[in-house]
Amino acid sequence: MSLRLYRTHPIIFAYGIIVGILTLYYFRTLICTTYSLLSLTFNWPRGAPDFLISPNADRDAFDLSFANYSRTQDSAGPLYRDLVPPVLHHIALGSHKPQGKWIDARNACLELHPGWEAMLWTDGNAGDFVRERFPELLHMWERYGYTIQRIDALRYMVLYEYGGVVLDMDLKCTRSLGPLRRFSFVAPAAHPTGFSIGFMMASKRNEFVGKLVRSLKMYNRRWFGLPYPTVMFSTGCHYASTIHALQPNRSELKILAGPLDNFKLHSLNGPVSTPIFNHLGSSSWHSYDASLIVSLSRSAKWWIPLFVLGAAAAVFFMVRRLKIKGMLRRYQSYRSILHGEKTSDTDLEGRIA
Ligand SMILES: *[C@@H]1O[C@H](CO)[C@@H](O)[C@H](O)[C@H]1NC(C)=O
């Protein structure tokens, strides 16, 4: 059909091609980021044997159960260099103010890491930090639609600037994180793909963490006005995992998972106990679901007409594809036979064709 258009109306054809190319160019960032975000499921496992922390002696020789490490071992140990500096970051912005049980959880972590620098990022100091160290991101950071986006973006920024460990307020340490300090980046595996950003360790000015900071602008988008996809795709776990999967060599970007027969050992989904944490179960995620429903019904005003329009367009194109006219013609030929009109077989064939 397009070929016929090319022959009969070459100018319209050329115009269509140019408009098509310009549209693709205009939406290139959206197309690239959407593709990366949607293909994470397929791209994530690439190179997994290299980036998963391994218990094998010929690889990392790491005890994934932590049972062989002392509860208070706060450095990498005699055989390794400490790549992660001794700094603990906690972030409590907006309504995510530290409640009683969160303060207890944080104190448990501080007690297990004596002598470490402890940084608490609040509404009082976070803005100044971003203004000073990442002025080019301040405008975006202040205007994020959800507090959790500002918290997530700040995780990457403080981790890049200072290095150390970033911990969610609802993670209660049950042992020191020292044995992991020999890796320049560590985060726990999430399910089914990617990693959780509630716990991350990194060296100062880590290249990958720098990419997490620098890519924030490109991925800053409101997805259908819905909080869950907006947060996950612009700053959250899905965003960070996507950037991880885009790196050509991921062998230094370590992911902490269990052994093959107990892969979810370190997963922080829901209120769980792992070898290193008690996860209290963040209430912020609970309120998320509620606000998702509220926002769905609020945005119904525009997504219902949009849906109807889309459905109408789909029906229109399907009808064209089915070549309704051809079907009608065949029906008429058939009827003329039934009504005893003199029509030879070849005549009918000809009409149908
Ligand atoms: C990836 O990096 C590691 C160390 O940084 C190196 O040993 C390995 O050969 C690299 N892999 C590839 C495929 O370049």
Side-chain angles (χ1 to χ4, degrees), residues 95-128:
S95 56
H96 298 245
K97 289 246 159 35
Q99 314 155 1
K101 58 176 185 172
W102 286 1
I103 291 170
D104 292 345
R106 178 169 183 258
N107 284 339
C109 293
L110 301 188
E111 273 162 31
L112 280 162
H113 300 85
W116 286 37
E117 194 176 347
M119 309 194 81
L120 181 61
W121 297 98
T122 62
D123 292 322
N125 58 4
D128 287 342

Side-chain angles (χ1 to χ4, degrees), residues 327-337 341 351:
M327 280 167 64
L328 278 177
R329 230 183 292 133
R330 257 166 272 184
Y331 172 66
Q332 279 163 0
S333 309
Y334 182 66
R335 215 176 53 167
S336 61
I337 298 169
E341 275 179 29
R351 282 204 221 175

Side-chain angles (χ1 to χ4, degrees), residues 224 226 295-308:
F224 317 114
L226 301 177
S295 139
L296 255 174
S297 50
R298 243 191 238 142
S299 56
K301 265 189 224 112
W302 62 267
W303 65 256
I304 288 178
L306 211 73
F307 178 78
V308 169

Side-chain angles (χ1 to χ4, degrees), residues 229-242:
T230 297
V231 171
M232 291 309 285
F233 291 173
S234 66
T235 59
C237 300
H238 199 97
Y239 161 76
S241 305
T242 297

Side-chain angles (χ1 to χ4, degrees), residues 50 248-252:
D50 292 327
N249 186 342
R250 304 156 74 193
S251 62
E252 304 283 304

Side-chain angles (χ1 to χ4, degrees), residues 260-317:
L260 280 181
D261 57 352
N262 188 10
F263 195 74
K264 295 189 181 179
L265 181 63
H266 287 282
S267 166
L268 296 172
N269 286 1
V272 289
S273 287
T274 75
I276 43 182
F277 297 115
N278 278 333
H279 186 216
L280 305 181
S282 171
S283 56
S284 60
W285 281 97
H286 182 71
S287 58
Y288 245 60
D289 297 347
S291 59
L292 173 69
I293 291 159
V294 169
S295 139
L296 255 174
S297 50
R298 243 191 238 142
S299 56
K301 265 189 224 112
W302 62 267
W303 65 256
I304 288 178
L306 211 73
F307 178 78
V308 169
L309 216 71
V315 167
F316 175 68
F317 283 111

